[in-house]
Amino acid sequence: LNNRLRSLNEIFVCVFFLSLVTLPGVCEGLQISEAWSRATVEGRMGAVYATIENTSDHPIRIEGIKTSVAMMAQVHESYLDNGMMRMRHIEQFTIPAGEVRKLAPGGLHIMLMRLPKPLVEGTTFETKFELDSGADLEFPVVVGSMGQMSKPE
């Protein structure tokens, strides 16, 4: 009986510590996958593209975006206006319960502004969403080549 209790206690301790492990890009029902960016040149802006899935039963709002590679980051949307491609800042970016939002070239994306140095192909940087719940969700972003239109392999 003593050995069984010790085994159960060891299992409990293992499960407890495993529950403390956080997977990158997963928090409170929000999952980030396939996050990528393009290499940039000096003085240019960058963008982050990704898939964002809300697996919870309630909407989740992204209230802020932080990254070490840019002084400012915002959700933007590209749109066509009288034959001219334009961009606008999305003030309230909410992912409804059970839905997926694709950030992709030519559509929604995270605009990286005032980059202190260019993004370099083959590197990775962290980006963090500040959620309406007060939680932060950090995820890695891989940098592909200039002009790339999909996530680097």
Side-chain angles (χ1 to χ4, degrees), residues 71-99:
M71 294 177 160
M72 185 176 3
Q74 300 175 332
V75 175
H76 281 203
E77 179 181 34
S78 299
Y79 65 99
L80 203 55
D81 180 28
N82 291 325
M84 188 83 144
M85 198 61 139
R86 301 190 186 276
M87 270 191 286
R88 64 178 152 229
H89 173 222
I90 304 296
E91 296 275 340
Q92 296 281 320
F93 188 60
T94 301
I95 299 91
E99 293 198 16

Side-chain angles (χ1 to χ4, degrees), residues 38-73:
R38 296 181 184 125
T40 62
V41 294
E42 191 76 36
R44 300 296 300 190
M45 291 186 270
V48 173
Y49 311 106
T51 300
I52 306 172
E53 181 177 6
N54 182 350
T55 60
S56 76
D57 60 358
H58 60 279
I60 297 175
R61 187 173 65 250
I62 297 169
E63 297 201 334
I65 304 167
K66 302 278 188 227
T67 181
S68 61
V69 301
M71 294 177 160
M72 185 176 3

